[in-house]
């Protein structure tokens, strides 16, 4: 059974259609369709029910997908085992945050590609929470506090931040001094997330409210500088605003706890050498640069 046909089937199954799978694989839709047709002919069974809206797995396809994915993972692991030491090939698909990735992670990814000329590095920069499995990513670089999930995560560096607001906002609404007072203010958030604050060694969780939300930390920093409310943002996004006086720290007695920078990957899969090498590069980057993600709060 052709491994390319198995890999193509898994991509189509996970992507939900021929077109998105072709985009992931970097081949034409006709090639994807031919590979699927050959695989179904060899098995003598229909794996996908195709329609104008995409491709859905049949009952047989659902069962076969898991076996095919495991087989592909084992083949990838076997290939890595026999490659020359340090040699990386194939494709590595990475999801990275837009607010942090192009400035802090892009140099590491460029260095990875430079060291391994036969490795194809494909990075998608977005501040939305990417579904690694459904969208076919090998791993993601994520910043902040990770929500509970089945993903496997490795912490590669620290991330520090502050609560901030503009002087105009403070003149109009005052500066909160306690977690209870914070709840009476407009919060600038990415969604409906809870905020954590440190009271000495104790972590306090609050659920603020606000009318301005955005899936970009950069946009929240701009909104805070415009006087729309209080934001909890990493130092790397607000250092320039603080230096110019456009933003000032608030809730300094109750700072947000240090967060982290993580490499996450789907569960139940063999960790490929590609992901491991990327992770090691990021760890080395943050060890060499003691202040890559903003200075710790004073």
């Amino acid at each position: 059974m052709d491994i390319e046909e198995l890999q193509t089937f898994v991509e189509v199954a996970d992507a939900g259609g021929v077109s998105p799978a072709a985009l992931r694989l970097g081949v034409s839709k006709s090639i994807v369709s031919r590979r699927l047709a050959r695989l179904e002919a060899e098995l003598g069974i229909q794996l996908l029910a195709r329609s104008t809206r995409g491709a859905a797995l049949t009952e047989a396809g659902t069962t076969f997908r898991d076996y095919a994915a495991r087989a592909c993972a084992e083949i990838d692991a076997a290939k890595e085992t026999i490659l020359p030491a340090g040699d990386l090939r194939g494709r590595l698909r990475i999801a990275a945050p837009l607010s942090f990735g192009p400035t802090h992670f892009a140099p590491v990814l460029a260095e990875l590609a430079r060291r391994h000329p036969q490795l194809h590095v494909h990075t998608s920069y977005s501040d939305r929470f990417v579904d690694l499995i459904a969208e076919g990513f090998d791993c993601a670089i994520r910043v902040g506090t990770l929500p509970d999930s089945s993903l496997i995560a490795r912490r590669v560096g620290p991330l520090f931040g502050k609560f901030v607001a503009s002087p105009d906002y403070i003149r109009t609404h005052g500066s909160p001094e306690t977690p209870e007072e914070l709840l009476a203010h407009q919060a600038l958030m990415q969604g409906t997330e809870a905020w954590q604050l440190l009271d000495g060694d104790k972590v306090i969780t609050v659920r603020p409210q606000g009318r301005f939300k955005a899936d970009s930390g950069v946009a929240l920093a701009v909104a805070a500088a415009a006087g729309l409310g209080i934001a909890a943002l990493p130092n790397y996004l607000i250092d320039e605003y603080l230096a110019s006086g456009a933003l000032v720290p608030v809730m300094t007695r109750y700072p947000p706890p240090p967060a982290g920078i993580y490499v996450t990957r789907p569960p139940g899969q063999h960790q490929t050498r590609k992901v491991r090498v990327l992770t090691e590069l990021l760890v080395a980057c943050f060890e060499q640069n003691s202040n890559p993600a903003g200075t710790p709060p004073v």
Side-chain angles (χ1 to χ4, degrees), residues 4-60:
E4 277 195 338
E5 294 171 6
L6 286 178
Q7 290 171 332
T8 299
F9 165 67
V10 172
E11 289 286 1
V12 172
D14 292 348
V18 170
S19 295
L23 188 62
R24 289 186 187 182
L25 292 166
V27 299
S28 67
K29 291 189 291 184
S30 60
I31 290 176
V32 172
S33 296
R34 284 198 296 270
R35 289 176 183 173
L36 289 174
R38 287 196 299 266
L39 180 61
E40 289 180 324
E42 185 169 355
L43 292 171
I45 196 165
Q46 185 179 6
L47 300 172
L48 293 153
R50 300 161 182 80
S51 71
T52 55
R53 285 183 281 181
L57 291 172
T58 63
E59 184 178 352

Side-chain angles (χ1 to χ4, degrees):
M1 194 170 292
D2 192 312
I3 186 63
E4 277 195 338
E5 294 171 6
L6 286 178
Q7 290 171 332
T8 299
F9 165 67
V10 172
E11 289 286 1
V12 172
D14 292 348
V18 170
S19 295
L23 188 62
R24 289 186 187 182
L25 292 166
V27 299
S28 67
K29 291 189 291 184
S30 60
I31 290 176
V32 172
S33 296
R34 284 198 296 270
R35 289 176 183 173
L36 289 174
R38 287 196 299 266
L39 180 61
E40 289 180 324
E42 185 169 355
L43 292 171
I45 196 165
Q46 185 179 6
L47 300 172
L48 293 153
R50 300 161 182 80
S51 71
T52 55
R53 285 183 281 181
L57 291 172
T58 63
E59 184 178 352
T62 300
T63 302
F64 188 69
R65 184 262 168 216
D66 293 336
Y67 287 100
R70 286 199 294 271
C72 291
E74 289 295 330
I75 291 295
D76 286 342
K79 285 180 179 179
E80 286 192 344
T81 301
I82 61 175
L83 283 175
D87 192 16
L88 297 181
R89 299 180 185 179
R91 183 189 58 172
L92 179 62
R93 295 191 76 233
I94 308 156
L98 180 61
S99 299
F100 194 49
T103 53
H104 290 71
F105 299 141
V108 179
L109 299 176
E111 176 63 16
L112 178 69
R114 187 193 68 79
R115 293 185 186 184
H116 303 280
Q118 298 185 73
L119 179 65
H120 294 252
V121 180
H122 297 181
T123 309
S124 174
Y125 292 99
S126 172
D127 282 333
R128 69 183 179 85
F129 205 75
V130 173
D131 187 327
L132 299 188
I133 299 172
E135 299 183 49
F137 286 97
D138 297 293
C139 65
I141 306 171
R142 289 180 172 158
V143 298
T145 302
L146 293 181
D148 292 335
S149 75
S150 60
L151 298 177
I152 299 170
R154 165 83 185 276
R155 191 175 186 272
V156 297
L159 187 73
F160 301 101
K162 294 181 178 69
F163 295 106
V164 293
S166 72
D168 284 345
Y169 178 87
I170 292 173
R171 278 192 291 271
T172 303
H173 302 281
S175 179
E177 299 294 336
T178 67
E180 292 76 17
E181 291 179 9
L182 181 62
L183 295 176
H185 285 262
Q186 284 289 318
L188 308 175
M189 300 179 292
Q190 291 200 13
T192 57
E193 70 270 18
W195 281 358
Q196 292 187 326
L197 307 88
L198 284 178
D199 182 5
D201 294 331
K202 180 182 176 183
V203 176
I204 301 172
T205 300
V206 299
R207 295 190 176 276
Q209 302 295 317
R211 65 186 181 86
F212 187 94
K213 298 180 181 181
D215 63 356
S216 165
V218 173
L220 294 178
V222 171
L228 295 181
I230 296 172
L233 292 169
N235 289 348
Y236 70 87
L237 281 180
I238 57 176
D239 280 341
E240 291 186 5
Y241 289 97
L242 294 171
S244 69
L247 291 175
V248 295
V250 298
M251 296 290 295
T252 54
R253 288 181 53 203
Y254 300 90
I261 302 165
Y262 301 87
V263 174
T264 63
R265 61 183 177 88
Q269 293 187 8
H270 166 79
Q271 184 183 18
T272 64
R273 191 192 298 177
K274 292 173 286 191
V275 173
R276 186 168 63 252
V277 169
L278 170 62
T279 302
E280 291 168 354
L281 270 179
L282 287 166
V283 170
C285 168
F286 289 114
E287 285 179 347
Q288 291 170 9
N289 182 357
S290 61
N291 185 28
T295 54
V298 177

